[in-house]
C-alpha cells in the first residue's frame, strides 16, 4: 500500500489560496478517481475538486473553514499496490494532548512544478485559538464518543446545535434578503431548518427560529441584536474568497477607470408586450424569458452598430483596444457575494441560444458553481437593480471591461 498526498491545486487564474468549504468524504471512506471529495472557495468562485486516486481516505490534513495556500497537502489517500488491496482503515483519534502523527516523509507530487515535497513535521494553522481537535474515532478500534470537528458557521458549539452543524455538508442556501433578516434578528442560519425548495432557508424559517429562541441573540434592551455580538459595540467580519475579490475589484475600478454616466428614461410598454409574445414562441419553450433577455439582445445589437463602445485602454502600449466580440457579463447577487460571470461570444448567439445561456449562467451563479473561466474575459456587463425597487444608479465598471448597463425598476 502507498500513501498518496493530494495537494491543493491552482484551479485557474494563478490563484494562491483557497478556503475549505466542505469535505464530502471522511477518514476511512473508499474513493474512486474523479469522485468529488471537497468543495473549496477561491477569490473567483466555489469549486468542487475531484479525487485523482482510487483507494481509502487515510487522513484529512485541513479542517473546514481553513484558508490554505496552493500546493498545501489537504488529503492523503491509501492506494493499493499491484499485489495487494488497500485496507478499510478508519480514522485515527486525535486529541489535544496527543496530536495525530504526520504523514510519511516520502510523497509523490500531484501537481506539475511542485516537485517532491516532504511534509514531515508539517503543522496546520487552527482557525481559532481554542479550536476543538478534529478527527473521528473508528467504530472498531477507537473509543466511543461523539465525532468533533471545527464548525465553519457560528464558531464551536456543543449539544444539539453542534450536531446539526456537523451534519451539514454544504453552505447554507438563502437569498440575500433572508440573510439580512437573519443578521438583524441574530439568527444563525447554520442551525435553521430549511423548508424551501432544494433546502433553501426562507424568511418564515428565520422568523420561526427567532421566535423559538435558542438561536436568537436578544439585546438587554429587548430589541433584536445585530450580528453575533458578544456585548461589544463593533463586529469584525473576515473578508476573503469572493468577497475579497469583489472588494478589490470595486476599489481598483473606481479609482483607475474614468466613469462617465448617462441616464436615459425609457417607456418599456412595448418591450413588456414583446416579452409576453416571446414567452409563447415555440422556439423559446422551456427557457426563461424576461425583460433582461430583451435588454441583452438590444445591447448586443447596439454594440454591433457602434463597435468602438466595446473598447478598452491599454496604457502600457498607448493604444485603444477595440474588441470585435462581446463577452456579456451579468451581475448576480449570490450568498457569497456579487459575481459577474459572462456569456462568451454572446453577439454570435441567436435569441433562443442567448436565453438558454443567460438562464444557465444565473442559475449556476446562484448555486455557487460558477467556474473561474466564466468570471474572466468579460467586455460589457448588465446589472439589474430594479429587482430591489431602485430607480437607477451609477454602478462601477467591472475591471477590464468597457461599460456596464444598469437597469432600474
Amino acid at each position: 500500500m502507498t500513501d498518496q498526498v493530494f495537494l491543493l491545486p491552482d484551479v485557474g487564474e494563478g490563484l494562491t489560496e483557497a478556503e475549505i468549504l466542505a469535505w464530502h468524504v471522511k477518514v476511512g471512506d473508499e474513493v474512486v478517481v474523479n469522485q468529488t471529495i471537497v468543495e473549496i472557495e477561491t477569490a473567483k468562485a466555489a469549486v468542487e475538486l475531484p479525487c485523482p486516486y482510487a483507494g481509502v481516505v487515510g487522513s484529512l490534513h485541513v479542517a473546514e473553514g481553513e484558508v490554505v495556500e496552493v500546493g498545501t497537502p489537504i488529503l492523503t489517500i491509501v492506494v493499493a499496490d499491484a499485489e495487494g488491496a488497500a485496507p478499510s482503515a478508519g480514522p485515527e483519534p486525535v486529541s489535544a494532548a496527543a496530536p495525530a502523527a504526520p504523514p510519511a516523509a516520502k510523497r509523490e507530487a500531484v501537481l506539475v512544478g511542485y516537485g517532491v515535497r516532504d511534509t514531515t513535521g508539517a503543522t496546520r494553522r487552527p482557525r481559532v485559538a481554542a479550536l476543538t481537535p478534529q478527527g473521528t474515532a473508528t467504530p472498531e478500534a477507537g473509543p466511543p464518543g461523539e465525532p468533533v470537528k471545527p464548525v465553519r458557521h457560528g464558531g464551536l458549539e456543543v449539544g444539539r446545535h453542534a450536531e446539526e452543524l456537523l451534519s451539514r455538508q454544504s453552505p447554507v442556501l438563502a437569498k440575500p434578503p433572508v440573510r439580512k433578516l437573519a443578521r438583524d434578528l441574530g439568527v444563525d442560519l447554520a442551525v435553521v431548518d430549511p423548508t424551501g425548495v432544494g433546502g433553501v432557508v426562507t424568511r418564515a424559517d428565520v422568523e420561526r427560529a427567532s421566535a423559538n429562541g435558542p438561536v436568537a441573540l436578544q439585546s438587554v434592551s429587548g430589541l433584536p441584536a445585530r450580528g453575533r455580538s458578544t456585548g461589544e459595540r463593533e463586529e469584525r467580519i473576515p473578508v476573503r474568497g469572493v468577497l475579497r475579490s469583489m472588494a478589490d475589484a470595486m476599489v481598483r475600478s473606481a479609482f483607475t477607470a474614468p466613469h462617465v454616466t448617462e441616464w436615459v428614461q425609457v417607456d418599456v410598454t412595448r418591450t413588456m408586450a414583446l416579452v409576453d409574445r416571446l414567452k409563447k414562441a415555440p422556439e423559446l419553450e422551456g427557457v426563461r424569458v424576461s425583460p433582461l433577455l430583451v435588454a441583452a439582445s438590444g445591447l448586443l445589437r447596439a454594440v454591433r452598430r457602434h463597435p468602438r463602445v466595446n473598447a478598452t485602454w491599454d496604457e502600457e502600449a498607448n493604444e485603444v483596444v477595440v474588441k470585435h466580440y462581446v463577452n456579456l457579463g451579468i451581475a448576480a447577487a449570490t450568498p457569497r457575494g456579487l459575481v459577474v460571470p459572462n456569456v462568451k461570444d454572446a453577439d454570435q448567439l441567436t435569441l433562443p441560444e442567448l436565453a438558454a445561456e443567460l438562464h444557465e449562467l444565473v442559475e449556476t451563479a446562484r448555486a455557487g458553481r460558477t467556474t473561474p473561466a466564466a468570471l474572466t474575459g468579460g467586455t460589457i456587463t448588465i446589472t439589474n437593480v430594479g429587482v430591489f425597487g431602485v430607480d437607477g444608479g451609477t454602478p462601477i465598471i467591472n475591471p477590464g471591461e468597457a461599460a456596464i448597463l444598469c437597469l432600474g425598476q
Side-chain angles (χ1 to χ4, degrees), residues 101-116:
K106 184 178 180 181
R107 295 289 182 252
E108 292 185 10
V110 176
L111 300 181
V112 175
Y114 288 117
V116 178

Side-chain angles (χ1 to χ4, degrees), residues 208-217:
R208 183 167 54 253
S210 176
N212 290 339
V215 296
L217 303 176

Side-chain angles (χ1 to χ4, degrees), residues 363-403:
E363 292 301 316
T364 302
R366 289 175 178 170
R369 297 292 183 268
T370 303
T371 63
L375 295 170
T376 58
T379 60
I380 291 182
T381 287
I382 296 179
T383 181
N384 181 12
V385 299
V387 295
F388 304 112
V390 178
D391 292 333
T394 55
I396 296 176
I397 299 173
N398 208 28
E401 298 187 8

Side-chain angles (χ1 to χ4, degrees), residues 46-80:
V47 180
E48 292 181 341
L49 298 182
C51 183
Y53 308 108
V56 175
V57 178
S59 57
L60 306 179
H61 303 303
V62 183
E64 291 180 359
E66 286 192 41
V67 177
V68 294
E69 295 182 355
V70 169
T72 301
I74 61 174
L75 176 77
T76 295
I77 302 292
V78 181
V79 179

Side-chain angles (χ1 to χ4, degrees), residues 282-362:
E283 59 270 25
L284 292 172
E285 185 178 358
V287 298
R288 178 178 174 80
V289 177
S290 68
L292 174 63
L293 173 62
V294 178
S297 178
L299 174 61
L300 295 172
R301 290 170 180 263
V303 172
R304 283 197 291 267
R305 293 178 182 177
H306 307 279
R308 298 196 67 175
V309 75
N310 190 29
T312 56
W313 168 247
D314 187 338
E315 185 173 2
E316 293 184 1
N318 200 32
E319 295 174 340
V320 173
V321 182
V322 180
K323 300 176 181 178
H324 297 290
Y325 61 91
V326 180
N327 290 345
L328 181 63
I330 301 295
T334 73
R336 293 193 179 96
L338 179 69
V339 296
V340 189
N342 60 80
V343 177
K344 308 299 184 185
D345 295 317
D347 55 315
Q348 302 298 318
L349 302 178
T350 64
L351 190 64
E353 291 172 340
L354 180 62
E357 290 288 342
L358 291 178
H359 177 77
E360 177 67 19
L361 178 145
V362 174

Side-chain angles (χ1 to χ4, degrees), residues 2 4 33 87 121 132 138 154 192 208 218 225 241 257 309 324 326 336 352 393:
T2 305
Q4 297 285 2
V33 175
T132 301
T138 57
V192 175
R208 183 167 54 253
Q218 297 295 327
V309 75
H324 297 290
V326 180
R336 293 193 179 96

Side-chain angles (χ1 to χ4, degrees), residues 44-282:
K44 295 293 185 181
V47 180
E48 292 181 341
L49 298 182
C51 183
Y53 308 108
V56 175
V57 178
S59 57
L60 306 179
H61 303 303
V62 183
E64 291 180 359
E66 286 192 41
V67 177
V68 294
E69 295 182 355
V70 169
T72 301
I74 61 174
L75 176 77
T76 295
I77 302 292
V78 181
V79 179
D81 291 335
E83 293 128 3
S88 298
E92 297 179 0
V94 179
S95 64
K106 184 178 180 181
R107 295 289 182 252
E108 292 185 10
V110 176
L111 300 181
V112 175
Y114 288 117
V116 178
R117 178 169 179 172
D118 185 345
T119 58
T120 302
T123 58
R124 295 195 303 270
R125 177 187 65 189
R127 188 182 178 202
V128 292
L131 186 63
T132 301
Q134 69 165 347
T136 305
T138 57
E140 298 83 0
E146 182 179 0
V148 180
K149 67 177 181 180
V151 178
R152 179 171 182 264
H153 299 281
L156 300 177
E157 299 182 27
V158 294
R160 177 174 63 84
H161 298 312
E163 294 177 357
E164 293 176 357
L165 287 171
L166 293 174
S167 65
R168 297 184 183 269
Q169 298 298 321
S170 59
V172 178
L173 300 179
K175 295 182 178 180
V178 176
R179 291 181 178 274
K180 182 180 184 304
L181 175 64
R183 288 195 301 269
D184 292 343
L185 297 180
V187 175
D188 186 354
L189 287 175
V191 296
V192 175
D193 293 326
T195 61
V197 178
V200 175
V201 177
T202 66
R203 175 180 291 271
D205 297 334
V206 173
E207 293 173 345
R208 183 167 54 253
S210 176
N212 290 339
V215 296
L217 303 176
Q218 297 295 327
S219 63
V220 293
S221 64
L223 296 176
R226 299 183 65 85
R228 301 174 186 173
S229 174
T230 58
E232 300 178 358
R233 291 170 61 84
E234 295 181 352
E235 178 185 11
R236 293 182 178 269
I237 302 174
V239 177
R240 57 197 183 200
V242 174
L243 287 178
R244 176 60 182 270
S245 177
M246 177 181 67
D248 290 343
M250 291 178 63
V251 173
R252 186 170 68 253
S253 177
F255 288 97
T256 59
H259 283 60
V260 178
T261 304
E262 289 190 7
W263 292 76
V264 179
Q265 189 171 12
V266 180
D267 183 349
V268 295
T269 302
R270 296 173 62 187
T271 302
M272 299 308 295
L274 173 61
V275 170
D276 290 337
R277 292 200 303 272
L278 291 175
K279 288 181 179 179
K280 302 174 183 178

